[in-house]
Amino acid sequence: MDQVFRFEPKDRYNAFITTRNDVPFGEGSLSGIPLAVKDNISTAGIPTTCGSAILEGYIPPYDAHVISCILREGCALVGKTNMDEFGMGTTTENSAFGPTLNPADISRVPGGSSGGSAAAVAAGMVPIALGTDTGGSIRCPSAFCGIVGMKPTYGRVSRYGLVAYANSLELIGPMARSVQDVSLLLKVISAYDPRDATMTDRPYLHTPAAKVAGCRIGVPEEFFGSGVDPKVASVVWDAIERLEGMGAEIVTCRMPSMAYALAAYYVICMSEASSNLARFDGVRYGPPADTRKTWHESYSDRRGTGFGAEVRRRIMLGTFALSSGYYGKYYAKAQAARQMVRDDFQRLFSEVDLLAGPTMPTVAFRLGEKTDPLSMYLSDILTVPANLAGIPAISIPCGEVEGMPVGLQIMGPRFHDENVIDAAFAYELEGRS
Amino acid sequence: MVTEKDVISVASLADITLTREEEALFAHQFTTILRYFDVLDTVSGVEYDNTGEVNILREDDVQESLPRELVLSNVPSSEDGYFKAPRVM
Amino acid sequence: MTVIIGLEIHCQLNTRSKMFCGCAAGYQDSEPNTHVCPVCLGLPGSLPGINRTAVMYALKVAKALDCEVPPESEFSRKNYFYPDLPKGFQITQYDKPLAVRGSLLIDGEDGEKAVRITRVHMEEDPGRLVHMGGGDRPRYTLVDYNRSGIPLIEIVTEPDLRSPKEARKFLNKLRATLEYLGVFDSDREGSIRVDANISMEGHARVEIKNISSYKGVEKALTFEVTRQKNAIRRGVKIERETRHFVEARGVTTSSRSKEEENDYRYFPEPDLPPLRVSGWVEDIELPELPDARRQRFIDQYACSPEHARTLTGGIRLAGFYEEVAPVDPPLAATWVADVLLGELSYRDMGIDSVPVHVFRELLEILRAGTITDKNGVDVLRTLLDQVRERQECESPAACIVRLDLGKKAGGEIDRIINTVVRSNPGAVSDVKAGKKGAVHFLVGQVMKETRGRADPAELNRLLLEEIDRLEG
Ligand SMILES: [Zn+2]
């Protein structure tokens, strides 16, 4: 670390929770590039809050694997970005540090939960950022803010150091203004890490090549279902037609498991979250436990006040879904439904190379627009299938509706991140007219 | 239909204190959400299949532990190297 | 009333590192929280990585207990909130354990019997709590996570045991087996913890939690048998409940805390894909186990079945015997099994504290017959006392000389016998009249004069010869 990057952002969108001013950086493929990191990725010596009051003051004594990777390549880690508490949200309004605003329209949300990273990139504060995606948390804000964001194949990036919300679904991924930068960052963070037992040693070493001619792209009808805003649908269909114009073969298809995907996703992520979020007891880190109370009093009160409403809802629903007598009805059925989603994708990918559709059913909501939890959950319908199946999915800007960005989502089979990148790159080069 | 009593019992299992207003609000919200989850009741004849996933094992090598100053650096007070927690009863 | 007992035994495996992280597992003599890292402290973002050796050790146990090992097992989370559990859950195995359906042979109350093993699974040890402020109302708790993440195996038996004594025998056999496998260090404090289920046939089952010593298990169960039998006799209904064993008072007490009523909400650990161990078990070569060694002791050293069982009851004891046996196998068996063990137990010492060369020398002296058995015991006691006090001892030969415990030379004994016979004419005539007791009296007189340095059996013969000679 021989050089210093001076970072003095005007954070008009509340994109950051923590910023650093004089940021050391080294040599490497990311040398001197300012990079923002979502605040649920552990950074040694830099507070890591997950957007929650319950982690106030916590400074990790270790770096997440991806942090070691990016620092080794010389980037300047300029700060930690705002997010929905523990990743639970689609707007970045559920943060103990206040909502992040959408740079395209400050009366709207940037999407979530990686809204801070998306806003920082969209506003030009940083060219690249790391986000995390449990059910669309990279792709949703990328679509809402008009940037590129990718959820890689599950197992392609180490989760070591990512504060767990729903382990079997989530992954760290790159966010940037171009497909090339997304590809570059993915190359850096996909280095193998044996500490993550769910990781596969298949590093992404690809250089994007604009390639979509001859590619069979499936479009499941369910991706344009009743919840999708017709204006968004129209913009996305135009984009898909442009891909066709570039030589891709477009095939419409069916994905019946979409009927179960969202319910399965929420039952699984809530169940896992209810267990993952049990560790914040104030004994080892975080605001200290009150030793005047008993263990259970102190623990319950801390969880009551330290977690926001959405986190408590999900912990409670997850606790319920795993509880004796309900496990079979919820968790076990959700896992079965998850298998149906995987089976559907497997069948589809035996017929087509990639799948395409809208990333989000609508453009960015207005701040405070979504007050009912279920209606918020429903907006994740198009992004959760990729998490349930562990397949790679990217969102790239493909137009606007009333001045707000719309995202095109491209998905591929597991470990075909390269093909997804190439198609997105081709669209980025030629498709955007 | 989720009642406030149900919410209280789950809150107790989850060890989370709620305000009275939240008990009522959550009961209402949980009713809607769980009703949506009922779609899973129609799933049948499928089992989650994890073949292909293989565990990666670690060799039994001792690695350096964290220095104790760092271990205790996130708590305001410790006692003789121990963490302090509330009494359990 | 038939007593029905089943056991759940938790044993720490003696791997070098912990179950899911690289921290050193030997924590016993360490300062608190010096063997911890993000994983075993449950820091946000850390992930578990399974220790291959721990799996191998657990599979060895499974094979030694003749278990079936399914091709796939799974780790699950057991969710409960307690300060010794840094993640708020324990990684354990639930509906897909590592091994199932095994058995272990023990010498039961009515001869040899097979105790069925329900399952063997792996899990992690929680941290250690110190309750501060004393008495019934501690003020706060101190937590040390050095123990957090130590690999454990849990072995669950079917309710096949019929008495507290059988339970103890099962535990002894299990401990010996684990020691022979080299996966377990029984001397390590807290290395074994037992939960016991006990009922009187036709009555409710009671669980006794967290008994932390071998002796404690038999004591706790014996207390429960008496308590439950008395209750039934008085017509009091046995409650299905969990009780705790209070070691200091030797009693069990009812404990109905929130912790025990918990719904653990088990689900598969999403950070660990299924464990696939097909073919591993077949490749494991088991070392000689207690039963095989016992048979070999009978065949090779002509040990009695009783001695062979005792001598193979622990791997160090068996090893000790094999080191001293070449002197004279039967003599060594008698002296180790019947004398040494008792003397060690009386002094609360372990077999490790006995210097092999010292014991061999003592056996050689005994075999040469230059010391009586009784004085041999005295020498042994003296030497053990020395070891206990200063971790070393003089040689048996030096001890015999120093305490003048050697057998008297023949001439001196003859002189003493002659004197005794001449000065006890009454007893001598009684002997002639065929009164056995009179011989014993005379032997006693000689022993007194020689201060024990004569062999009583030989004295008997010499005395009768001397009396015969007087007649002639
Ligand atoms: Zn550790």
Side-chain angles (χ1 to χ4, degrees), chain C residues 49-156:
Chain C
I50 300 171
N51 184 334
R52 179 189 301 276
T53 301
V55 176
M56 287 307 298
Y57 281 9
L59 286 172
K60 271 189 180 181
V61 174
K63 188 164 188 171
L65 296 179
D66 210 14
C67 289
E68 291 168 30
V69 176
E72 178 182 307
S73 70
E74 189 172 71
F75 285 95
S76 289
R77 292 186 179 180
K78 178 182 184 180
N79 295 286
Y80 66 96
F81 313 133
Y82 212 62
D84 61 2
L85 214 51
K87 300 187 291 295
F89 58 84
Q90 179 192 33
I91 305 180
T92 177
Q93 295 191 294
Y94 182 54
D95 47 5
K96 290 186 181 173
L98 187 78
V100 294
R101 285 189 290 275
S103 70
L104 183 66
L105 278 179
I106 63 163
D107 296 301
E109 303 276 34
D110 312 311
E112 195 164 72
K113 79 187 259 185
V115 176
R116 289 171 300 159
I117 306 293
T118 315
R119 58 187 275 153
V120 177
H121 77 243
M122 285 180 281
E123 60 186 29
E124 56 177 343
D125 215 346
R128 188 173 64 89
L129 301 181
V130 183
H131 305 287
M132 299 299 285
D136 288 338
R137 281 205 75 78
R139 283 186 298 124
Y140 57 97
T141 310
L142 295 181
V143 197
D144 170 16
Y145 294 101
N146 283 345
R147 196 179 73 180
S148 163
I150 298 292
L152 295 179
I153 46 170
E154 180 174 329
I155 298 161
V156 182

Side-chain angles (χ1 to χ4, degrees), chain A residues 234-384:
Chain A
S234 159
V235 168
V236 173
W237 263 121
D238 288 349
I240 291 170
E241 276 163 17
R242 279 199 289 280
L243 286 169
E244 190 172 26
M246 291 156 57
E249 185 188 344
I250 305 300
V251 187
T252 53
C253 48
R254 297 292 313 272
M255 187 161 168
S257 61
M258 285 295 285
Y260 309 108
L262 194 75
Y265 167 79
Y266 271 97
V267 168
I268 293 168
C269 77
M270 287 169 171
S271 299
E272 292 183 9
S274 73
S275 171
N276 288 325
L277 271 57
R279 67 186 64 190
F280 306 110
D281 58 15
V283 173
R284 296 161 305 282
Y285 48 85
D290 187 347
T291 51
R292 288 166 307 180
K293 298 178 183 164
T294 68
W295 164 260
H296 275 291
E297 285 164 2
S298 153
Y299 186 73
S300 306
D301 290 354
R302 150 184 313 270
R303 284 155 69 85
T305 55
F307 288 135
E310 183 58 27
V311 173
R312 280 176 291 144
R313 264 194 295 273
R314 294 196 193 188
I315 290 176
M316 288 176 61
L317 285 167
T319 301
F320 178 65
L322 290 174
S323 66
S324 139
Y326 294 97
Y327 181 93
K329 175 172 165 60
Y330 294 107
Y331 186 82
K333 287 280 187 188
Q335 287 286 64
R338 177 183 204 164
Q339 188 61 39
M340 293 170 72
V341 172
R342 290 180 172 201
D343 291 346
D344 263 357
F345 275 123
Q346 197 176 5
R347 177 181 50 79
L348 289 170
F349 286 128
S350 68
E351 294 158 9
V352 300
D353 301 309
L354 300 168
L355 293 171
T359 306
M360 295 298 290
T362 65
V363 294
F365 327 127
R366 297 200 174 277
L367 284 159
E369 182 183 328
K370 297 269 179 186
T371 49
D372 171 55
L374 181 60
S375 79
M376 175 92 82
Y377 301 168
L378 289 171
S379 58
D380 297 337
I381 180 68
L382 301 173
T383 46
V384 298

Side-chain angles (χ1 to χ4, degrees), chain B residues 22-43:
Chain B
E22 283 173 332
E23 285 165 9
L25 179 66
F26 280 20
H28 168 70
Q29 292 170 335
F30 288 3
T31 302
T32 326
I33 295 167
L34 292 177
R35 193 174 295 146
Y36 180 78
F37 289 170
D38 282 345
V39 67
L40 295 172
D41 289 346
T42 61
V43 173

Side-chain angles (χ1 to χ4, degrees), chain A residues 62-201:
Chain A
Y62 76 105
D63 273 328
H65 179 72
V66 295
I67 299 300
S68 309
C69 292
I70 57 169
L71 293 178
R72 198 165 51 226
E73 288 301 328
C75 86
L77 198 173
V78 296
K80 305 292 293 291
T81 57
N82 201 7
M83 56 184 285
D84 286 302
E85 187 176 3
F86 290 102
M88 299 182 187
T90 310
T91 63
T92 314
E93 292 170 295
N94 298 334
S95 165
F97 301 87
T100 293
L101 312 179
N102 191 322
D105 175 353
I106 58 162
S107 72
R108 293 179 188 262
V109 303
S113 64
S114 311
S117 286
V121 171
M125 298 164 79
V126 291
I128 50 175
L130 288 177
T132 67
D133 192 311
T134 310
S137 286
I138 287 175
R139 290 160 288 156
C140 159
S142 296
F144 281 6
C145 292
I147 64 164
V148 185
M150 180 167 182
K151 182 202 92 69
T153 299
Y154 185 81
R156 203 138 200 195
V157 177
S158 168
R159 291 182 294 113
Y160 196 87
L162 159 61
V163 181
Y165 151 31
N167 330 48
S168 73
L169 298 162
E170 67 203 357
L171 210 64
I172 298 168
M175 302 168 82
R177 281 195 295 275
S178 73
V179 174
Q180 264 183 310
D181 283 353
V182 159
S183 175
L184 173 67
L185 188 50
L186 179 56
K187 197 185 277 188
V188 171
I189 62 175
S190 67
Y192 182 60
D193 177 13
R195 291 174 299 181
D196 179 351
T198 62
M199 194 177 181
T200 310
D201 189 2

Side-chain angles (χ1 to χ4, degrees), chain C residues 38 96 143 147 158 161 249 265 272 289 305-306 329 376 415 456:
Chain C
K96 290 186 181 173
V143 197
R147 196 179 73 180
E158 293 289 316
L161 299 161
R249 293 193 281 137
R265 290 165 281 128
L272 297 172
L289 292 174
E306 209 42 58
R415 216 166 31 249

Side-chain angles (χ1 to χ4, degrees), chain B residues 65-66, chain C residues 18 20-24 35-41 145 148-149:
Chain B
S65 296
L66 287 173
Chain C
K18 292 186 179 181
F20 297 116
C21 64
C23 290
H35 290 205
V36 293
C37 72
V39 177
C40 55
L41 278 176
Y145 294 101
S148 163

